[in-house]
Amino acid sequence: MTYLDHAATTPMRPEAVAAYTAALAEAGNASSLHASGRRARRVVEESREALAAALRARPSEVVFTAGGTESDNLAIKGLYWARRAVAPRRHRVLVSAVEHRAILDAVFWLAEAQDAQVELLPVDATGMVHPDVLAAAIVRDPDSVALVSVMWANNEVGTVSPIAELAAVAHGFGIAFHTDAVQAVGSIPLSFEDSGADALTVSAHKLGGPIGMGALLVRRGLALAPLTHGGGQERDLRSGTLDTPGVAAFAAAATTAVHERPVEAERLVALRDDLVARVLAEVPDAVVNGAPSGPGLLPGIAHLTFPGCEGDSLLLLLDAHGIECSTGSACSAGVARPSHVLLAMGVDEARARGSLRFSLGRTSTRADVDALVKVIAPVVERARRAGALAGLSGG
Amino acid sequence: MRVLAAMSGGVDSAVAAARAVDAGHAVTGVHLALSRSPESHRAGARGCCTVEDAHDARRAADVLGIPFYVWDLAERFEHDVIEEFVAAYSAGRTPNPCVRCNERIKFAAVLDRALALGFDAVVTGHHAQLSGAVLRRSVDPDKDQSYVLGTLRPEQLMHAIFPLGDTTKTEVRAEAARRGLAVADKPDSHDICFIADGDTGRWLRDRLGPRPGPVVDAVTGERVGEHDGAFAFTIGQRRGLRLGRPAPDGRPRYVLDISPVTATVTVGPAQALDVRDLVADVAVWPHEGPVACAAQVRAHGRAVPATAEAVGDELYIRLGEPVRGTAPGQAVVLYDGDRVLGGGHVRRFGRFGAGPRDAGRPGG
């Protein structure tokens, strides 16, 4: 099996599995006052400190959630509600056109149900949001903006946006700034403190922690309304009994991922560049999407368009060869749609449909690249034959 | 062989895929997403076009341990089946969208793509027997679907596998239960999959808008009523005519003819519906001269004795006994016993009584 879909989820790190299973064996609600509760609380708070250290945040800024989607929803809706409560005129919500659906669907819901006016910030051909684009959008009417959210690194094409500059632009107008850093954490250097962001989304399972665990980093003093009401366990911003094993495993994974990042990133960049070069040698008319290899691109992501092919044909054929990758983001019914990310980058619909994301991670090796390179040419040729039936132009 | 199993989420296609696995084929399951905006759950018992049906298909594939994908054919389906369905009704014909879907989607778009991707055949859960390109009725007369497959060309059938033709529906359900397929007791799908509540007239009215016109009695020539869209009527229809006055003879009246140009619906007595001669376009007819056979003009209709002969690009069919309520657009499938000889789509017909259409005869 050749797993080239680490951006979807990546195997849990041994350190995380160890922390997880150790905590699973212990009973204890971190909110209880007795000894078992105190033991669980200690695990949670030590984990909070470790995660904060890994992300260069203060422990009190860490709000544990059930994952990236919840963190994004808390940030978007929480910021919007809190801001509008004191400044009703602030109804504009500015987010990049290439955000994950957890952001896009949240803001579209705000538009539908809560009178928000959503403006999608255009990106350049690599998928990057430029600070002057954000500034131009804000200055049209700065006092009507409720919040800005721009993802740190794109989950499909891997392009990194200049988050510190973007946050500075928003702050110049007194506007709160959120960033979805789900793909960035553990892959590129990242400091919450230095980023200037007011809120930052992180997910455990993308960096070797368990699925169903995440956090929103929330700068002290930021006005944020809660999504869920109940016990108020996480700074009254998030209610629900804390998942002690999940928290412990998340912290262990993040600590290791951040610690190993410099060496691992270098290895992945070399592997990824090799993958791209060899796939291009096999399929010369393939097109590489996203930023060029370098600090502006996530180390493990290679995103390619194979003209004349449909992505789901490629996926099916590669799957039959034991190679697992992705077309980017799938909808709930499993129907492949052309990626909104590629469309926002100016790629036409036919080409957007014929694109694949190969994402490398901790367990990826040269053998995985070899396996892909061995079959990619015949797979593309076959997918082109099927694509010709669908009226897709080749070449 | 490498085969592609079309899995609707129903019991038949799940068992068909299971049998293909048992037969030693390398099976890949595919659910065809035919709706542009699928409902998340079934409202009725249609069972093929919702997210829940896709989920059921995926679960069946999981149980069988085969790869599974969803293919988005919504655009093709909209263009080749739904738009054609609307156009046919607008033109006063009565289309059969299931026949059309088999002709254009399952054994065309899907089959072509499957072959291009390196598969050898498409497996479906249709109740019909197939060996080579010879199609026969299912052993279960109540569930036989050879009619909706009867216009497929040999090159389409050569790449089809129908594993259920030798089995009754009851046995299929029992087999699904034995195999641990959760869809074993899922209700049968029926009616037209893209019309959620089964109300074709209203669906067409919503789509086409009102186009009022008169209802005219064929016998007296009188205007006996009004309607707000001729497309809502089917030849042979009796209910829902809402005629103010009874017929002079007091007998029920039926739709005899629909003229889309003048938006006129003609009604008359039942016997005026009796059709004796049919002229169809030729979908499949690899035979010379007149052939004694049996003709079936509806999915659940009876086959009646007939003689068929190809003349040019048309198939002339004389029925040995009258068939009531045949409409242009319907498929006519011709059988020799349980074997499908060929078929086409009705273009025009002649009636026993004084009908508004004259089929004409070969050579005269």
Side-chain angles (χ1 to χ4, degrees):
Chain A
M1 194 64 77
T2 302
Y3 186 74
L4 295 174
D5 205 12
H6 287 267
T9 195
T10 193
M12 265 177 85
R13 293 171 180 274
E15 300 82 357
V17 173
Y20 203 59
T21 47
L24 280 174
E26 301 289 326
N29 183 327
S31 298
S32 298
L33 300 179
H34 47 58
S36 296
R38 287 195 300 275
R39 269 199 302 277
R41 171 58 65 179
R42 182 177 171 187
V43 170
V44 167
E45 295 311 324
E46 284 176 359
S47 300
R48 192 189 306 278
E49 287 159 15
L51 184 67
L55 304 179
R56 300 277 307 280
R58 297 168 205 264
S60 62
E61 291 173 327
V62 175
V63 173
F64 287 115
T65 68
T69 293
E70 186 193 333
S71 296
D72 281 345
N73 272 268
L74 174 58
I76 294 294
K77 294 172 188 169
L79 278 171
Y80 182 77
W81 289 331
R83 200 75 177 108
R84 283 208 87 188
V86 294
R89 214 173 91 68
R90 292 190 179 271
H91 69 292
R92 288 167 73 206
V93 174
L94 310 183
V95 303
S96 89
V98 297
E99 293 299 310
H100 189 272
R101 280 189 58 188
I103 296 287
L104 289 179
D105 284 9
V107 299
F108 292 149
W109 176 81
L110 285 179
E112 240 178 68
Q114 309 271 307
D115 300 322
Q117 182 185 319
V118 173
E119 291 174 34
L120 298 181
L121 302 166
V123 295
D124 68 13
T126 71
M128 191 183 108
V129 180
H130 287 265
D132 51 344
V133 168
L134 173 61
I138 293 175
V139 294
R140 279 200 288 276
D141 186 7
D143 296 338
S144 66
V145 179
L147 68 113
V148 175
S149 179
V150 177
M151 71 200 321
W152 198 305
N154 183 264
N155 55 307
E156 292 187 30
V157 297
T159 299
V160 178
S161 282
I163 292 306
E165 291 174 53
L166 292 163
V169 169
H171 288 164
F173 296 94
I175 299 164
F177 182 89
H178 165 257
T179 182
D180 176 341
V182 164
Q183 295 289 343
V185 173
S187 286
I188 53 175
L190 180 150
S191 158
F192 182 57
E193 187 185 346
D194 298 341
S195 74
D198 298 290
L200 179 147
T201 292
V202 53
S203 161
H205 76 104
K206 307 286 191 186
L207 45 76
I211 291 172
M213 193 66 224
L216 183 68
L217 305 187
V218 181
R219 197 167 298 287
R220 274 198 295 188
L222 184 73
L224 195 66
L227 284 182
T228 52
H229 298 84
Q233 283 84 348
E234 288 292 275
R235 283 173 54 185
D236 278 338
L237 287 174
R238 204 268 184 180
S239 290
T241 301
L242 279 164
D243 172 6
T244 306
V247 165
F250 183 10
T255 303
T256 317
V258 169
H259 176 71
E260 291 180 354
R261 191 204 57 77
V263 176
E264 178 65 1
E266 201 175 319
R267 185 185 77 89
L268 286 180
V269 166
L271 204 55
R272 190 266 322 276
D273 290 351
D274 184 47
L275 182 154
V276 170
R278 290 167 66 194
V279 167
L280 287 176
E282 294 290 325
V283 186
D285 63 344
V287 179
V288 185
N289 300 306
S293 181
L297 182 67
L298 289 177
I301 292 203
H303 195 283
L304 293 120
T305 296
F306 298 93
C309 299
E310 285 186 277
D312 48 356
S313 293
L314 292 167
L315 211 63
L316 180 154
L317 294 165
L318 287 172
D319 196 6
H321 284 101
I323 292 168
E324 300 178 324
C325 60
S326 159
T327 53
S329 53
C331 105
S332 56
V335 173
R337 301 273 175 226
S339 152
H340 69 281
V341 174
L342 293 178
L343 296 180
M345 287 160 56
V347 177
D348 69 46
E349 197 168 309
R351 290 204 170 204
R353 280 181 184 277
S355 301
L356 287 182
R357 176 188 70 186
F358 304 101
S359 52
L360 305 163
R362 186 174 55 85
T363 56
S364 301
T365 63
R366 192 180 159 85
D368 295 325
V369 177
D370 293 345
L372 171 66
V373 169
K374 197 173 146 195
V375 301
I376 191 69
V379 159
V380 167
E381 193 200 321
R382 208 172 251 297
R384 273 193 184 140
R385 248 179 277 160
L389 298 169
L392 296 178
S393 58
Chain B
M1 285 200 289
R2 290 189 65 210
V3 301
L4 190 82
M7 301 179 74
S8 66
V11 61
D12 290 324
S13 56
V15 172
R19 288 186 170 188
V21 172
D22 288 355
H25 301 308
V27 183
T28 294
V30 165
H31 178 77
L32 309 177
L34 301 178
S35 169
R36 278 183 171 171
S37 50
E39 301 288 328
S40 59
H41 291 278
R42 280 184 292 280
R46 262 133 214 108
C48 68
C49 303
T50 66
V51 173
E52 194 181 349
D53 294 313
H55 172 81
D56 288 345
R58 181 185 301 278
R59 279 296 299 136
D62 290 345
V63 170
L64 302 178
I66 59 173
F68 176 84
Y69 308 92
V70 176
W71 281 5
D72 179 9
L73 285 142
E75 223 165 280
R76 282 294 290 266
F77 189 76
E78 172 77 24
H79 181 263
D80 285 355
V81 179
I82 299 182
E83 283 176 13
E84 204 275 340
F85 178 82
V86 172
Y89 263 105
S90 309
R93 298 194 302 271
T94 302
N96 185 321
C98 301
V99 170
R100 182 86 178 177
C101 180
N102 286 330
E103 291 171 342
R104 296 299 181 94
I105 305 292
K106 293 200 182 96
F107 300 99
V110 173
L111 175 59
D112 290 346
R113 187 170 180 199
L115 295 176
L117 289 175
F119 293 95
D120 303 301
V122 167
V123 177
T124 71
H126 283 108
H127 283 262
Q129 306 189 65
L130 184 64
S131 58
V134 176
L135 185 67
R136 294 177 186 277
R137 290 193 190 273
S138 161
V139 296
D140 186 338
D142 294 336
K143 291 292 165 189
D144 171 51
Q145 290 176 302
S146 57
Y147 172 81
V148 292
L149 303 163
T151 56
L152 295 179
R153 298 185 309 277
E155 62 269 28
Q156 293 173 297
L157 291 172
M158 290 297 286
H159 297 289
I161 299 175
F162 307 137
L164 302 187
D166 63 351
T167 311
T168 66
K169 180 73 180 223
T170 312
E171 289 162 353
V172 170
R173 287 196 181 281
E175 182 175 333
R178 268 201 314 279
R179 290 176 179 273
L181 295 165
V183 290
D185 55 1
K186 190 170 167 176
D188 284 1
S189 59
H190 54 78
D191 296 333
I192 298 168
C193 69
F194 53 86
I195 300 178
D197 61 0
D199 188 341
T200 305
R202 189 167 66 196
W203 187 89
L204 287 164
R205 200 152 35 242
D206 289 349
R207 186 118 176 170
L208 294 169
R211 275 150 73 175
V215 179
V216 173
D217 190 299
V219 180
T220 63
E222 274 183 86
R223 193 180 177 115
V224 291
E226 310 293 328
H227 64 79
D228 59 5
F231 44 73
F233 297 89
T234 306
I235 290 180
Q237 175 180 345
R238 177 184 162 191
R239 275 178 230 148
L241 293 180
R242 296 192 307 275
L243 301 179
R245 283 171 295 166
D249 59 2
R251 308 291 293 266
R253 282 175 294 200
Y254 297 80
V255 175
L256 300 184
D257 190 39
I258 298 158
S259 169
V261 178
T262 57
T264 302
V265 173
T266 307
V267 297
Q271 63 270 23
L273 283 168
D274 287 349
V275 167
R276 173 72 178 262
D277 295 304
L278 294 171
V279 179
D281 65 3
V282 180
V284 195
W285 191 252
H287 310 283
E288 295 281 339
V291 177
C293 56
Q296 183 174 332
V297 292
R298 267 197 302 271
H300 301 291
R302 196 169 58 87
V304 301
T307 308
E309 182 177 6
V311 178
D313 65 344
E314 293 188 317
L315 197 53
Y316 283 75
I317 300 155
R318 163 142 292 206
L319 303 173
E321 57 184 82
V323 168
R324 187 157 286 187
T326 294
Q330 282 177 339
V332 52
V333 176
L334 301 161
Y335 292 84
D336 173 16
D338 69 347
R339 178 181 171 179
V340 173
L341 297 177
H345 311 88
V346 174
R347 281 186 175 162
R348 56 190 192 277
F349 50 78
R351 286 173 168 146
F352 273 110
R357 293 162 196 262
D358 181 20
R361 293 291 302 153

